[in-house]
Amino acid sequence: MVVLAELAFSAGDLARVRFAVSPMWEVAPSFRLLRAGIAHPIHRPWVEQVRPRLVAAGLDRGWLAELIPIPSIGYVPDFLNPAPAGPTPAPGEEWDAIRASLAERVRQDLDHLARHQGTLGPRLRTLHADPPGRLAKVIEEIETYWELALAPYWARIRAVLDADILYRARLAAEHGAGRLLNDLHTSVSWDDNALRMTGRKQPLTRTTAGPGLLLIPSVFTGPGLRTRTTPPGPPQLAYPARGTGSLWQARPAPRTDTLSAVLGRSRALLLAELETPASTTQLAHRTGLSPAGVSQYLTALRKAGLVSAHRVGRSVLYARTTAAETLLQPAST
């Protein structure tokens, strides 16, 4: 049954509308996409790079595979998406919030999941029996997934999310909160001090939600909206971020001649090659530099805050940081 959700806003609720970038709101939908086995029109380049790592690490048959089942049932346990305390929580902050979940909350969410899919898997039955003892295992797997699937690409993802928030903040500043909320998604409309959402399976009212509204742009959430309501926290609304369609498109090769004068030719070359995350061996093969030389240059780039390292099994993937992406942008004229 499809219902119309109507979330009323008082002046206080409107004053509590805020944005946040949430690592966990990218974990569940991206994990589901990797396991779905489909050629996604936008995320296919990322899927082709990451899916082999997922399988090699055994994550396709672990805790997350039971918590985020395929085919999708449209529900992810709410304790996996704690309300971000600030605008840009670090991944570790969200892991800590999950770890601190009340046992009753975890069991309620797992019961809800069981009603959706008929039963719980063997791991989730042990989690239901002992949430404090088993949540550490869930967090350990989330951390592993983050390192192999999202952390190497986070600078690029964050650029899209930050640009979305900047656009919408300017929209609100120039035209008001009503225009901001009307612009979020085709299924959302603002009228007469209420936010209306069509196509939902469950109602959403102030009697079932906390005060305010937390808006979370996401590159993996898909064409629809995702909501989470666990009072006393604010209702969370995850929506598709603007610019996601160009997220994985190949970018023009950056000019490194000017950068070479500052960093040196080899370091500038390695930064240019890290359009996609790569290992030392891969970079040596692509650039013609020796593996020892690549390792030395990458160490220097890490110390300068231009490269990050992410362990994936026995390999280490290197990725450009936000600072490096900024350096490689063409100068404005």
Short mmCIF file of all heavy atoms in Angstrom, two decimals, residues 16-26 81-91 93-94 154 157-158 160-166 168-169 180 184 212-219 221 226 234-242:
data_model
loop_
_atom_site.label_atom_id
_atom_site.label_comp_id
_atom_site.label_asym_id
_atom_site.label_seq_id
_atom_site.Cartn_x
_atom_site.Cartn_y
_atom_site.Cartn_z
N ARG A 16 15.39 23.96 12.87
CA ARG A 16 16.28 22.83 13.11
C ARG A 16 16.59 22.03 11.85
O ARG A 16 17.17 20.96 11.93
CB ARG A 16 15.66 21.90 14.15
CG ARG A 16 15.61 22.48 15.56
CD ARG A 16 15.05 21.44 16.54
NE ARG A 16 15.03 21.92 17.91
CZ ARG A 16 14.00 22.53 18.47
NH1 ARG A 16 12.89 22.74 17.75
NH2 ARG A 16 14.06 22.92 19.72
N VAL A 17 16.21 22.52 10.70
CA VAL A 17 16.57 21.85 9.44
C VAL A 17 18.07 22.05 9.20
O VAL A 17 18.58 23.17 9.25
CB VAL A 17 15.77 22.42 8.25
CG1 VAL A 17 16.26 21.81 6.94
CG2 VAL A 17 14.28 22.13 8.44
N ARG A 18 18.78 20.98 8.97
CA ARG A 18 20.22 21.07 8.72
C ARG A 18 20.67 19.97 7.76
O ARG A 18 19.93 19.00 7.51
CB ARG A 18 21.02 20.98 10.02
CG ARG A 18 20.92 19.65 10.76
CD ARG A 18 21.69 19.69 12.06
NE ARG A 18 21.58 18.45 12.83
CZ ARG A 18 22.45 17.45 12.76
NH1 ARG A 18 23.50 17.53 11.94
NH2 ARG A 18 22.29 16.36 13.50
N PHE A 19 21.89 20.13 7.23
CA PHE A 19 22.48 19.16 6.32
C PHE A 19 23.60 18.39 7.03
O PHE A 19 24.22 18.90 7.97
CB PHE A 19 23.08 19.85 5.10
CG PHE A 19 22.07 20.37 4.12
CD1 PHE A 19 21.60 21.66 4.20
CD2 PHE A 19 21.59 19.55 3.10
CE1 PHE A 19 20.68 22.15 3.29
CE2 PHE A 19 20.66 20.01 2.19
CZ PHE A 19 20.20 21.32 2.28
N ALA A 20 23.87 17.20 6.54
CA ALA A 20 25.03 16.44 7.02
C ALA A 20 25.50 15.51 5.91
O ALA A 20 24.71 15.03 5.10
CB ALA A 20 24.69 15.64 8.27
N VAL A 21 26.81 15.27 5.88
CA VAL A 21 27.40 14.25 5.03
C VAL A 21 27.66 13.04 5.91
O VAL A 21 28.35 13.15 6.94
CB VAL A 21 28.71 14.75 4.40
CG1 VAL A 21 29.46 13.60 3.75
CG2 VAL A 21 28.41 15.84 3.38
N SER A 22 27.10 11.89 5.55
CA SER A 22 27.17 10.71 6.41
C SER A 22 27.84 9.54 5.70
O SER A 22 27.29 9.02 4.72
CB SER A 22 25.77 10.30 6.86
OG SER A 22 25.78 9.02 7.46
N PRO A 23 29.00 9.08 6.18
CA PRO A 23 29.60 7.88 5.59
C PRO A 23 28.68 6.66 5.60
O PRO A 23 28.61 5.91 4.63
CB PRO A 23 30.84 7.65 6.47
CG PRO A 23 31.22 9.02 6.95
CD PRO A 23 29.90 9.70 7.18
N MET A 24 27.92 6.46 6.70
CA MET A 24 27.08 5.27 6.78
C MET A 24 25.92 5.31 5.80
O MET A 24 25.43 4.25 5.38
CB MET A 24 26.55 5.09 8.20
CG MET A 24 27.50 4.38 9.15
SD MET A 24 28.16 2.78 8.55
CE MET A 24 26.66 1.83 8.29
N TRP A 25 25.46 6.49 5.43
CA TRP A 25 24.39 6.55 4.44
C TRP A 25 24.90 6.17 3.05
O TRP A 25 24.09 5.99 2.13
CB TRP A 25 23.74 7.93 4.43
CG TRP A 25 22.58 8.05 5.36
CD1 TRP A 25 22.54 8.71 6.54
CD2 TRP A 25 21.27 7.47 5.19
NE1 TRP A 25 21.30 8.60 7.13
CE2 TRP A 25 20.49 7.84 6.32
CE3 TRP A 25 20.68 6.68 4.22
CZ2 TRP A 25 19.16 7.45 6.49
CZ3 TRP A 25 19.35 6.29 4.38
CH2 TRP A 25 18.62 6.67 5.50
N GLU A 26 26.22 6.07 2.86
CA GLU A 26 26.77 5.56 1.61
C GLU A 26 27.09 4.07 1.70
O GLU A 26 27.14 3.38 0.67
CB GLU A 26 28.04 6.33 1.23
CG GLU A 26 27.88 7.84 1.12
CD GLU A 26 26.93 8.27 0.00
OE1 GLU A 26 26.53 7.43 -0.82
OE2 GLU A 26 26.58 9.46 -0.03
N ASN A 81 22.28 3.54 10.79
CA ASN A 81 22.30 4.94 10.34
C ASN A 81 22.04 5.89 11.51
O ASN A 81 21.01 6.56 11.57
CB ASN A 81 21.27 5.18 9.23
CG ASN A 81 21.61 4.46 7.95
OD1 ASN A 81 20.93 3.53 7.55
ND2 ASN A 81 22.69 4.88 7.30
N PRO A 82 22.97 5.98 12.45
CA PRO A 82 22.78 6.91 13.56
C PRO A 82 22.77 8.35 13.06
O PRO A 82 23.45 8.68 12.08
CB PRO A 82 24.00 6.65 14.46
CG PRO A 82 25.04 6.11 13.52
CD PRO A 82 24.27 5.30 12.50
N ALA A 83 22.00 9.19 13.71
CA ALA A 83 21.92 10.59 13.28
C ALA A 83 23.28 11.26 13.46
O ALA A 83 23.82 11.27 14.57
CB ALA A 83 20.86 11.32 14.08
N PRO A 84 23.88 11.80 12.39
CA PRO A 84 25.17 12.49 12.53
C PRO A 84 25.06 13.63 13.52
O PRO A 84 24.15 14.45 13.46
CB PRO A 84 25.44 13.00 11.11
CG PRO A 84 24.64 12.11 10.21
CD PRO A 84 23.40 11.78 11.00
N ALA A 85 26.03 13.70 14.45
CA ALA A 85 26.00 14.75 15.46
C ALA A 85 26.40 16.10 14.88
O ALA A 85 26.01 17.14 15.39
CB ALA A 85 26.93 14.38 16.62
N GLY A 86 27.20 16.09 13.82
CA GLY A 86 27.66 17.32 13.20
C GLY A 86 27.50 17.26 11.70
O GLY A 86 26.97 16.28 11.15
N PRO A 87 27.96 18.28 10.99
CA PRO A 87 27.75 18.33 9.54
C PRO A 87 28.60 17.32 8.75
O PRO A 87 28.19 16.88 7.69
CB PRO A 87 28.13 19.77 9.17
CG PRO A 87 29.05 20.21 10.26
CD PRO A 87 28.57 19.52 11.50
N THR A 88 29.77 16.97 9.26
CA THR A 88 30.66 16.06 8.52
C THR A 88 31.34 15.08 9.47
O THR A 88 32.55 15.17 9.72
CB THR A 88 31.74 16.85 7.74
OG1 THR A 88 32.45 17.70 8.68
CG2 THR A 88 31.12 17.70 6.66
N PRO A 89 30.60 14.14 10.05
CA PRO A 89 31.22 13.20 11.00
C PRO A 89 32.25 12.32 10.31
O PRO A 89 32.06 11.90 9.16
CB PRO A 89 30.03 12.39 11.50
CG PRO A 89 29.02 12.47 10.40
CD PRO A 89 29.18 13.84 9.82
N ALA A 90 33.34 12.05 11.00
CA ALA A 90 34.32 11.10 10.49
C ALA A 90 33.74 9.70 10.56
O ALA A 90 32.86 9.42 11.38
CB ALA A 90 35.59 11.19 11.32
N PRO A 91 34.20 8.78 9.71
CA PRO A 91 33.68 7.41 9.77
C PRO A 91 33.74 6.82 11.17
O PRO A 91 32.78 6.19 11.63
CB PRO A 91 34.58 6.66 8.79
CG PRO A 91 35.02 7.70 7.81
CD PRO A 91 35.16 8.95 8.60
N GLU A 93 33.48 8.19 14.02
CA GLU A 93 32.41 8.71 14.88
C GLU A 93 31.11 7.93 14.66
O GLU A 93 30.37 7.65 15.61
CB GLU A 93 32.18 10.19 14.61
CG GLU A 93 33.33 11.10 14.98
CD GLU A 93 33.04 12.54 14.63
OE1 GLU A 93 32.11 13.12 15.23
OE2 GLU A 93 33.72 13.09 13.74
N GLU A 94 30.84 7.59 13.42
CA GLU A 94 29.61 6.83 13.14
C GLU A 94 29.75 5.39 13.60
O GLU A 94 28.78 4.79 14.07
CB GLU A 94 29.27 6.93 11.65
CG GLU A 94 29.02 8.36 11.21
CD GLU A 94 28.06 8.47 10.05
OE1 GLU A 94 28.22 7.70 9.08
OE2 GLU A 94 27.17 9.32 10.12
N TRP A 154 36.72 8.53 -1.47
CA TRP A 154 35.95 9.45 -0.65
C TRP A 154 36.17 10.91 -1.04
O TRP A 154 35.24 11.72 -0.97
CB TRP A 154 36.25 9.22 0.82
CG TRP A 154 35.31 9.93 1.76
CD1 TRP A 154 35.63 10.83 2.73
CD2 TRP A 154 33.88 9.80 1.82
NE1 TRP A 154 34.50 11.25 3.40
CE2 TRP A 154 33.41 10.63 2.86
CE3 TRP A 154 32.95 9.04 1.09
CZ2 TRP A 154 32.06 10.74 3.19
CZ3 TRP A 154 31.60 9.15 1.41
CH2 TRP A 154 31.17 10.00 2.45
N ILE A 157 33.87 11.52 -3.91
CA ILE A 157 32.47 11.48 -3.46
C ILE A 157 32.14 12.72 -2.65
O ILE A 157 31.10 13.37 -2.85
CB ILE A 157 32.22 10.20 -2.64
CG1 ILE A 157 32.31 8.96 -3.54
CG2 ILE A 157 30.85 10.26 -1.95
CD1 ILE A 157 32.30 7.65 -2.77
N ARG A 158 33.04 13.09 -1.73
CA ARG A 158 32.80 14.27 -0.90
C ARG A 158 32.66 15.54 -1.74
O ARG A 158 31.88 16.44 -1.40
CB ARG A 158 33.95 14.46 0.10
CG ARG A 158 33.78 13.74 1.42
CD ARG A 158 32.63 14.29 2.26
NE ARG A 158 32.74 15.71 2.53
CZ ARG A 158 33.36 16.23 3.55
NH1 ARG A 158 33.96 15.45 4.44
NH2 ARG A 158 33.38 17.55 3.74
N VAL A 160 31.27 15.86 -4.61
CA VAL A 160 29.90 15.91 -5.12
C VAL A 160 28.92 16.27 -4.00
O VAL A 160 28.03 17.11 -4.17
CB VAL A 160 29.52 14.55 -5.75
CG1 VAL A 160 28.03 14.51 -6.11
CG2 VAL A 160 30.35 14.30 -7.00
N LEU A 161 29.09 15.65 -2.83
CA LEU A 161 28.18 15.91 -1.72
C LEU A 161 28.30 17.35 -1.23
O LEU A 161 27.28 18.01 -0.96
CB LEU A 161 28.48 14.94 -0.57
CG LEU A 161 28.35 13.45 -0.89
CD1 LEU A 161 28.71 12.61 0.34
CD2 LEU A 161 26.96 13.10 -1.39
N ASP A 162 29.52 17.84 -1.12
CA ASP A 162 29.71 19.22 -0.66
C ASP A 162 29.14 20.22 -1.67
O ASP A 162 28.56 21.24 -1.28
CB ASP A 162 31.20 19.50 -0.45
CG ASP A 162 31.76 18.77 0.76
OD1 ASP A 162 30.97 18.28 1.59
OD2 ASP A 162 33.00 18.66 0.88
N ALA A 163 29.31 19.93 -2.96
CA ALA A 163 28.76 20.83 -3.98
C ALA A 163 27.24 20.87 -3.91
O ALA A 163 26.62 21.92 -4.10
CB ALA A 163 29.23 20.40 -5.36
N ASP A 164 26.63 19.71 -3.64
CA ASP A 164 25.17 19.66 -3.51
C ASP A 164 24.71 20.53 -2.35
O ASP A 164 23.76 21.32 -2.48
CB ASP A 164 24.72 18.21 -3.30
CG ASP A 164 23.22 18.10 -3.07
OD1 ASP A 164 22.78 18.26 -1.91
OD2 ASP A 164 22.50 17.88 -4.05
N ILE A 165 25.36 20.40 -1.21
CA ILE A 165 24.96 21.18 -0.03
C ILE A 165 25.16 22.67 -0.28
O ILE A 165 24.32 23.50 0.10
CB ILE A 165 25.75 20.70 1.21
CG1 ILE A 165 25.31 19.29 1.58
CG2 ILE A 165 25.53 21.66 2.38
CD1 ILE A 165 26.11 18.68 2.73
N LEU A 166 26.26 23.03 -0.93
CA LEU A 166 26.51 24.44 -1.23
C LEU A 166 25.42 25.01 -2.12
O LEU A 166 24.92 26.12 -1.89
CB LEU A 166 27.88 24.58 -1.90
CG LEU A 166 28.31 26.01 -2.25
CD1 LEU A 166 28.42 26.86 -0.99
CD2 LEU A 166 29.63 25.99 -3.01
N ARG A 168 22.30 23.94 -2.41
CA ARG A 168 21.02 24.02 -1.70
C ARG A 168 21.04 25.09 -0.61
O ARG A 168 20.01 25.72 -0.33
CB ARG A 168 20.66 22.65 -1.15
CG ARG A 168 20.47 21.63 -2.27
CD ARG A 168 19.97 20.29 -1.81
NE ARG A 168 20.07 19.32 -2.90
CZ ARG A 168 19.23 19.24 -3.93
NH1 ARG A 168 18.20 20.08 -4.00
NH2 ARG A 168 19.39 18.33 -4.88
N ALA A 169 22.19 25.29 0.01
CA ALA A 169 22.29 26.36 1.00
C ALA A 169 22.10 27.73 0.33
O ALA A 169 21.43 28.62 0.88
CB ALA A 169 23.64 26.30 1.69
N LEU A 180 13.92 25.43 -1.00
CA LEU A 180 14.89 24.37 -0.77
C LEU A 180 14.21 23.01 -0.70
O LEU A 180 14.61 22.05 -1.37
CB LEU A 180 15.66 24.64 0.53
CG LEU A 180 16.36 23.45 1.19
CD1 LEU A 180 17.51 22.96 0.33
CD2 LEU A 180 16.84 23.81 2.58
N LEU A 184 14.12 19.32 -3.51
CA LEU A 184 14.88 18.12 -3.13
C LEU A 184 14.65 16.94 -4.06
O LEU A 184 15.59 16.24 -4.43
CB LEU A 184 14.51 17.70 -1.70
CG LEU A 184 15.15 18.47 -0.55
CD1 LEU A 184 14.57 17.99 0.77
CD2 LEU A 184 16.67 18.31 -0.57
N GLY A 212 12.59 18.87 13.92
CA GLY A 212 13.51 19.29 12.87
C GLY A 212 13.55 18.34 11.69
O GLY A 212 12.64 17.53 11.48
N LEU A 213 14.62 18.42 10.93
CA LEU A 213 14.82 17.55 9.77
C LEU A 213 16.29 17.55 9.42
O LEU A 213 16.94 18.59 9.36
CB LEU A 213 14.00 18.05 8.57
CG LEU A 213 14.13 17.24 7.27
CD1 LEU A 213 13.54 15.83 7.46
CD2 LEU A 213 13.41 17.96 6.12
N LEU A 214 16.84 16.36 9.20
CA LEU A 214 18.24 16.19 8.82
C LEU A 214 18.30 15.75 7.36
O LEU A 214 17.81 14.67 7.01
CB LEU A 214 18.90 15.15 9.72
CG LEU A 214 20.40 14.89 9.53
CD1 LEU A 214 21.20 16.18 9.60
CD2 LEU A 214 20.89 13.90 10.58
N LEU A 215 18.86 16.58 6.50
CA LEU A 215 18.95 16.32 5.07
C LEU A 215 20.33 15.77 4.73
O LEU A 215 21.34 16.40 5.06
CB LEU A 215 18.68 17.60 4.28
CG LEU A 215 17.30 18.23 4.50
CD1 LEU A 215 17.22 19.59 3.83
CD2 LEU A 215 16.21 17.31 3.98
N ILE A 216 20.37 14.61 4.07
CA ILE A 216 21.63 13.93 3.80
C ILE A 216 21.74 13.61 2.31
O ILE A 216 21.06 12.71 1.81
CB ILE A 216 21.73 12.62 4.62
CG1 ILE A 216 21.60 12.94 6.11
CG2 ILE A 216 23.05 11.92 4.34
CD1 ILE A 216 21.57 11.72 7.00
N PRO A 217 22.58 14.34 1.58
CA PRO A 217 22.79 13.99 0.17
C PRO A 217 23.58 12.69 0.07
O PRO A 217 24.43 12.40 0.92
CB PRO A 217 23.60 15.18 -0.36
CG PRO A 217 24.33 15.71 0.84
CD PRO A 217 23.40 15.48 2.00
N SER A 218 23.30 11.92 -0.96
CA SER A 218 23.96 10.62 -1.12
C SER A 218 24.19 10.35 -2.60
O SER A 218 23.34 10.66 -3.43
CB SER A 218 23.11 9.51 -0.51
OG SER A 218 23.61 8.22 -0.85
N VAL A 219 25.33 9.75 -2.92
CA VAL A 219 25.59 9.40 -4.33
C VAL A 219 25.12 7.99 -4.64
O VAL A 219 24.95 7.64 -5.81
CB VAL A 219 27.09 9.54 -4.68
CG1 VAL A 219 27.57 10.96 -4.46
CG2 VAL A 219 27.95 8.54 -3.89
N THR A 221 22.33 6.39 -2.97
CA THR A 221 20.99 6.06 -2.48
C THR A 221 20.00 5.74 -3.60
O THR A 221 18.94 5.20 -3.34
CB THR A 221 20.46 7.20 -1.60
OG1 THR A 221 19.37 6.73 -0.80
CG2 THR A 221 20.01 8.38 -2.44
N ARG A 226 15.30 7.91 0.90
CA ARG A 226 15.38 6.99 2.02
C ARG A 226 15.17 7.80 3.30
O ARG A 226 15.69 8.90 3.43
CB ARG A 226 16.74 6.29 2.07
CG ARG A 226 17.03 5.42 0.87
CD ARG A 226 16.16 4.17 0.83
NE ARG A 226 16.49 3.30 -0.28
CZ ARG A 226 15.95 3.37 -1.49
NH1 ARG A 226 15.03 4.30 -1.72
NH2 ARG A 226 16.29 2.54 -2.45
N PRO A 234 16.16 13.71 15.09
CA PRO A 234 15.37 14.26 14.00
C PRO A 234 15.15 13.22 12.90
O PRO A 234 15.96 12.31 12.74
CB PRO A 234 16.25 15.40 13.48
CG PRO A 234 17.64 14.95 13.79
CD PRO A 234 17.54 14.23 15.10
N PRO A 235 14.06 13.31 12.15
CA PRO A 235 13.91 12.43 10.99
C PRO A 235 15.03 12.70 9.99
O PRO A 235 15.41 13.86 9.77
CB PRO A 235 12.54 12.81 10.43
CG PRO A 235 12.26 14.19 10.94
CD PRO A 235 12.95 14.28 12.28
N GLN A 236 15.58 11.64 9.42
CA GLN A 236 16.63 11.77 8.42
C GLN A 236 16.04 11.52 7.04
O GLN A 236 15.27 10.57 6.86
CB GLN A 236 17.75 10.77 8.69
CG GLN A 236 18.44 10.94 10.02
CD GLN A 236 19.55 9.93 10.21
OE1 GLN A 236 20.45 9.80 9.38
NE2 GLN A 236 19.51 9.20 11.32
N LEU A 237 16.42 12.35 6.10
CA LEU A 237 15.96 12.21 4.73
C LEU A 237 17.18 12.19 3.81
O LEU A 237 17.85 13.20 3.64
CB LEU A 237 15.03 13.36 4.36
CG LEU A 237 14.48 13.40 2.93
CD1 LEU A 237 13.69 12.13 2.62
CD2 LEU A 237 13.60 14.62 2.71
N ALA A 238 17.49 11.01 3.26
CA ALA A 238 18.60 10.88 2.33
C ALA A 238 18.06 10.97 0.91
O ALA A 238 17.11 10.27 0.55
CB ALA A 238 19.31 9.54 2.54
N TYR A 239 18.68 11.83 0.11
CA TYR A 239 18.19 12.10 -1.24
C TYR A 239 19.36 12.04 -2.23
O TYR A 239 20.53 12.22 -1.85
CB TYR A 239 17.52 13.48 -1.28
CG TYR A 239 18.47 14.62 -0.98
CD1 TYR A 239 19.19 15.25 -1.99
CD2 TYR A 239 18.68 15.05 0.33
CE1 TYR A 239 20.08 16.27 -1.71
CE2 TYR A 239 19.56 16.07 0.61
CZ TYR A 239 20.27 16.68 -0.41
OH TYR A 239 21.16 17.68 -0.12
N PRO A 240 19.08 11.79 -3.51
CA PRO A 240 20.16 11.73 -4.51
C PRO A 240 20.84 13.08 -4.68
O PRO A 240 20.18 14.09 -4.92
CB PRO A 240 19.43 11.30 -5.79
CG PRO A 240 18.13 10.72 -5.34
CD PRO A 240 17.76 11.45 -4.10
N ALA A 241 22.14 13.10 -4.56
CA ALA A 241 22.90 14.34 -4.68
C ALA A 241 22.99 14.78 -6.13
O ALA A 241 23.12 13.96 -7.05
CB ALA A 241 24.31 14.15 -4.12
N ARG A 242 22.92 16.08 -6.35
CA ARG A 242 23.15 16.65 -7.67
C ARG A 242 24.59 16.33 -8.11
O ARG A 242 25.51 16.34 -7.30
CB ARG A 242 22.99 18.18 -7.63
CG ARG A 242 21.58 18.68 -7.51
CD ARG A 242 21.56 20.16 -7.18
NE ARG A 242 22.43 20.94 -8.05
CZ ARG A 242 22.06 21.51 -9.20
NH1 ARG A 242 20.80 21.39 -9.60
NH2 ARG A 242 22.91 22.20 -9.94
#
